[in-house]
Amino acid sequence: RVKDGQDIYFFVNPTFMDVSAPVSITGDVQPVLWNPSTGSERPVGPSQVTDGRTHFQIDLPPAGSAFVLPRSSNGLRITETNLRFDELDLTGGQITGYGRAAEGFVVLEQGSQRIRRSAQREAPAEPLVLDAEWEFEAETDNALVIGKWLAAQEQPGVEWQAYALPGVDTSSGWLPMVPGAWSYQLPAEPDVPYPIPVWYRVQLPVEHLPPQVNLIVDGFAGSEWKLYINGQPVNSTPVRSAFDSQMKAVDVTPYLERGDNLIALRLVVTNATDGLLDLLKIMGDFSLVAQDDGSYRIAAPRNTIRPESWTGQGYPFYSGSAVYRRRFQLPESFVGQRIFLQPQVRDDVLEVVVNEQPAAVRLWPSYEVEISEQLKPGDNIMELRLTNTLVNLLEGVERASGLAGTPYLAPYHEFKFELANDE
């Protein structure tokens, strides 16, 4: 594209693998990477010019993309280096780069002239690995998403207790079902005309009673519905849910007890497409523990977790923002160097706060963040706030979310080079 006289190149990696590719663009130019989320630019180097085209390497993460803008090269170009550069002002007589090397070097060309500069430093310090447990705080309610239950057609003259009480014999007349139209999951067409009252039952194991638990009214397709828990009619008034105005939340806290609980739902099905069409969602401040049959039981919320996905640590259906928090000591060997956080994140939104100072927001890879200005000698505290999508909650998908592995801090030496012409 061309915008206001500026050429703009957009490169896309359509695969789910890291890609490093040689590319070339028209002209003798200095390519820069433009960050659309911050507006910042970072020069691409090294590069070479051949037959009127500028050649360089571009690295893209899985499903990643990059904007490249061609800028004026001023005839001076970095052709080899083991460093990174925030900017390239090659007209000021000095350039500054940074890298994890004991010897940093840069090779420049201007016409037929070749200039090489190098500088020595001590061997770079080993990265600080922030492993072990991190404090964990989920900022919204966790969810237990249920997609299997028993269903039965209400028989004339049979009281509601025969369907809603715990301990009822479900060996006859009850069929296993999943979200979808009730009639489509029957072995044959219903034997009575619509409307037809239908009952649904599902077990809810609870070892921890949160201060509030809501059941989300979602996909209850029929002329009316009634909810029972442990044989008690639920009389709570449905209110708007926190995440979708079309879904209602019913407070079921007073009806739950430790141990096995029974949720029973009565729907009046008015046509062939009615029924319990969506997943059942139970929400509150809790964590989940996997059971031998693949289901989950409600447990106390987690205060600490490993620096890995929260999905496998009690929050498989959690959608929202959560904070990983960790105190650490900054090594003395890091002082005076540029420090970069290398977090392991798949594709969630990341916010970094160090010592209560916002450091950066990253919407996509690369998630690397420089935190040199926010760090201090000695004790530090870091917060990584990650936000995923609603797919875990709405679709019951246990999509890995949050951290994908152990973050670490990497110190980089800074190198300055004078560009005065060689004799």
Side-chain angles (χ1 to χ4, degrees):
R1 299 280 181 100
V2 179
K3 175 69 173 177
D4 298 330
Q6 170 69 60
D7 288 347
I8 303 172
Y9 295 89
F10 184 51
F11 296 91
V12 178
N13 174 11
T15 76
F16 290 96
M17 300 180 293
D18 290 311
V19 168
S20 180
V23 299
S24 71
I25 58 179
T26 302
D28 181 352
V29 297
Q30 171 59 58
V32 300
L33 288 171
W34 176 66
N35 187 330
S37 63
T38 64
S40 63
E41 297 180 3
R42 182 170 63 83
V44 178
S47 63
Q48 296 84 30
V49 176
T50 306
D51 298 328
R53 298 183 65 85
T54 299
H55 301 257
F56 54 94
Q57 198 83 10
I58 191 167
D59 300 319
L60 294 175
S65 60
F67 288 95
V68 174
L69 310 182
R71 300 300 195 195
S72 173
S73 69
N74 296 317
L76 189 62
R77 175 179 308 282
I78 295 178
T79 59
E80 297 178 41
T81 186
N82 62 348
L83 303 177
R84 300 162 66 178
F85 300 88
D86 293 322
E87 60 182 356
L88 286 179
D89 181 8
L90 300 178
T91 63
Q94 185 185 77
I95 59 172
T96 302
Y98 61 97
R100 284 188 50 76
E103 179 186 25
F105 75 90
V106 59
V107 177
L108 302 102
E109 287 186 357
Q110 185 172 30
S112 60
Q113 187 178 24
R114 185 174 185 270
I115 304 170
R116 189 183 194 280
R117 295 286 182 268
S118 64
Q120 297 289 332
R121 296 284 188 274
E122 295 180 357
E126 290 298 317
L128 176 61
V129 180
L130 301 175
D131 53 5
E133 295 277 305
W134 287 58
E135 295 178 28
F136 181 76
E137 179 184 355
E139 295 187 349
T140 55
D141 282 345
N142 194 15
L144 169 58
V145 180
I146 302 171
K148 296 179 180 180
W149 40 74
L150 296 176
Q153 177 179 324
E154 183 179 279
Q155 299 301 314
V158 179
E159 296 296 324
W160 66 268
Q161 291 89 342
Y163 304 96
L165 287 180
V168 169
D169 182 11
T170 57
S171 61
S172 177
W174 293 86
L175 296 175
M177 289 194 176
V178 296
W182 167 75
S183 63
Y184 293 171
Q185 301 183 65
L186 296 176
E189 290 293 325
D191 55 4
V192 295
Y194 296 104
I196 303 171
V198 176
W199 285 86
Y200 297 87
R201 289 169 61 99
V202 64
Q203 295 291 326
L204 177 63
V206 176
E207 74 177 43
H208 166 78
L209 289 173
Q212 183 170 354
V213 180
N214 291 317
L215 182 144
I216 305 302
V217 179
D218 180 20
F220 292 11
S223 62
E224 61 180 86
W225 60 269
K226 293 181 179 179
L227 182 65
Y228 300 80
I229 294 183
N230 296 325
Q232 301 181 62
V234 175
N235 298 316
S236 306
T237 301
V239 298
R240 174 178 173 172
S241 70
F243 57 90
D244 190 316
S245 63
Q246 300 301 312
M247 299 182 190
K248 304 300 181 182
V250 178
D251 186 357
V252 297
T253 315
Y255 308 93
L256 294 176
E257 57 189 37
R258 285 187 174 86
D260 287 334
N261 291 257
L262 174 69
I263 299 175
L265 173 69
R266 183 183 187 269
L267 284 176
V268 177
V269 175
T270 62
N271 57 60
T273 59
D274 278 356
L276 185 50
L277 305 184
D278 285 291
L279 300 158
L280 274 180
K281 304 171 185 69
I282 311 294
M283 303 195 69
D285 184 15
F286 52 74
S287 67
L288 298 175
V289 176
Q291 304 193 114
D292 293 339
D293 62 358
S295 64
Y296 290 96
R297 70 177 184 273
I298 290 176
R302 298 286 301 271
N303 296 318
T304 62
I305 64 174
R306 299 181 304 278
E308 299 169 6
S309 170
W310 64 59
T311 304
Q313 301 185 78
Y315 295 79
F317 309 113
Y318 181 74
S319 287
S321 299
V323 175
Y324 294 75
R325 185 179 296 108
R326 169 71 185 271
R327 291 186 177 274
F328 62 93
Q329 292 288 319
L330 187 70
E332 291 185 6
S333 59
F334 282 36
V335 175
Q337 301 191 57
R338 296 182 64 173
I339 313 301
F340 287 79
L341 168 67
Q342 306 284 356
Q344 309 301 308
V345 182
R346 291 179 179 85
D347 53 5
D348 295 333
V349 175
L350 169 69
E351 299 175 60
V352 180
V353 177
V354 181
N355 296 324
E356 301 183 348
Q357 302 177 60
V361 176
R362 293 288 183 266
L363 306 179
W364 46 67
S366 118
Y367 289 98
E368 179 186 75
V369 176
E370 183 174 8
I371 57 174
S372 307
E373 294 184 359
Q374 291 79 25
L375 289 170
K376 61 183 181 180
D379 189 52
N380 292 262
I381 185 168
M382 177 182 294
E383 293 184 354
L384 304 181
R385 184 175 187 261
L386 290 119
T387 305
N388 65 349
T389 73
L390 281 169
V391 69
N392 294 56
L393 170 62
L394 296 185
E395 300 296 332
V397 176
E398 298 184 26
R399 172 187 174 274
S401 304
L403 288 177
T406 302
Y408 62 92
L409 303 183
Y412 284 71
H413 289 308
E414 190 168 75
F415 297 86
K416 293 185 178 181
F417 304 102
E418 300 294 334
L419 299 182
N421 291 339
D422 290 346
E423 295 292 337

